[in-house]
Amino acid sequence: MNVLIITQYFYPENFKSNDLAFELKKKGHNVTVLTGLPNYPEGKIFEGYGVFKNRKQVVNGVRVVRSLLLPRGKGGGLRLFINYYSFAFFASVKAFFMGLNDKYDAIIVHEPSPITQYYPALLMNKLWKIPVYFWVMDLWPESLSIAGGVKNKWILNYYEGVIKRFYKNSEKILITSQGFRKSINQKGNFDDKIVYFPNWAEDTISEGNKNFPIPPLPEGFKVMFAGNIGEAQDLESIMKAALELKDKKEIKFILVGDGRKMPYVKEFIDEHRLQETVFTMGRFPVEAMSSFFDKADVMLVTLKDDPIFNLTVPAKLQAYMSASKPIIAMLNGEGADNVLDADCGFTVSAGDHKSLAKTILETSALSQETLNQLGQNSRKYYENNFRLSTCISNLENIIKK
């Protein structure tokens, strides 16, 4: 097949769109990616890229076409709005000329957010009837209201109308969580279009180099949180749990990653003198995660108690499972159900920091044999449900049908 992937985020940015494109290419398809100039998450155009630099590339056999956009900067509301719509506009112009010059069998829109990434695909669908497969990883306008803090009814109603149009023009709507189905069907009768298409873990994590050089970690029972340190991840409750366990010096919280809440985390550590039990490692490349995970005793996944997050399965959950690690989950909904179904760890309600602290303390007292068994259960569940090659094979079948 000749496949076009449209996404605002692509290599060297670290998103699932990378695996999607490279794996489809490995399976023998011609793959083109229409994307923007890389600038996530720092908000500045990456070195080596620009208006006249690397606008067209071939990466691992995948043709990459980059449209102009205004970088996201520090992520303020107006700047993000311009970032989103500048990509949508310039990518649509690119899409028009690409549609004139090339014939595509399918378009896949990778949408972690924003939904405006769909506009170039909509243009090509209308002009050349190319079927669009909409991979929904973030629900709009719910995400705009809850995570973005937008309360204006006119704006929310406008984006509800936009997303309805996108759903209507999609051949299939691919969802990463079964919980998304209800929200999508509330916007129209789209059930026959919805297909469950879960996240996977990168092979660099599940089969990566455990000797990748990383900083030394403290001795003790290591509770590791890896990934985005943002609003959705409820760092307030994690820090409160760490404070509850302040006197349990053998328990070490290891935070690997960065994000908008990192200044809050560092201030909390200083204010409550948690330097002996909470450690912020900073951001590392995905290649380093296998080495970090190997040294953890248990992995921590959290989301705030919110209707939209209760429908979400965090992508880090699959990564933790692929690394054969026991998991403590402080979240509600399908993510917690996955941990229970896999019998790979323990769950507490979203926002319940006291139960989180209690569960961590109890888990630290388990034998290594028990922890190893929970880790094996994690890996088994991953093998059966979240392998990259299996997911992409399922996608091939969805498109071919």
Side-chain angles (χ1 to χ4, degrees), residues 103-147:
K103 185 180 185 303
Y104 298 99
D105 299 305
I107 298 171
I108 303 171
V109 177
H110 167 255
E111 183 263 335
S113 202
I115 59 166
T116 47
Q117 296 171 88
Y118 195 100
Y119 279 114
L122 181 65
L123 176 73
M124 299 181 81
N125 174 261
K126 292 298 184 182
L127 291 177
W128 296 288
K129 308 301 180 185
I130 306 170
V132 180
Y133 297 82
F134 191 16
W135 189 15
V136 177
M137 306 177 78
D138 199 9
L139 292 173
W140 277 54
E142 294 94 330
S143 181
L144 194 63
S145 172
I146 297 163

Side-chain angles (χ1 to χ4, degrees), residues 354-373:
K354 289 187 178 294
S355 292
L356 176 61
K358 180 173 180 287
T359 300
I360 289 172
L361 186 60
E362 291 172 349
T363 305
S364 70
L366 295 176
S367 67
Q368 190 60 51
E369 181 182 2
T370 300
L371 292 173
N372 290 342
Q373 183 59 57

Side-chain angles (χ1 to χ4, degrees), residues 142 160 164 181-190:
E142 294 94 330
E160 180 151 345
K164 285 180 182 179
R181 187 180 296 271
K182 181 179 178 181
S183 171
I184 293 171
N185 279 327
Q186 286 175 342
K187 297 173 179 64
N189 185 19
F190 301 118

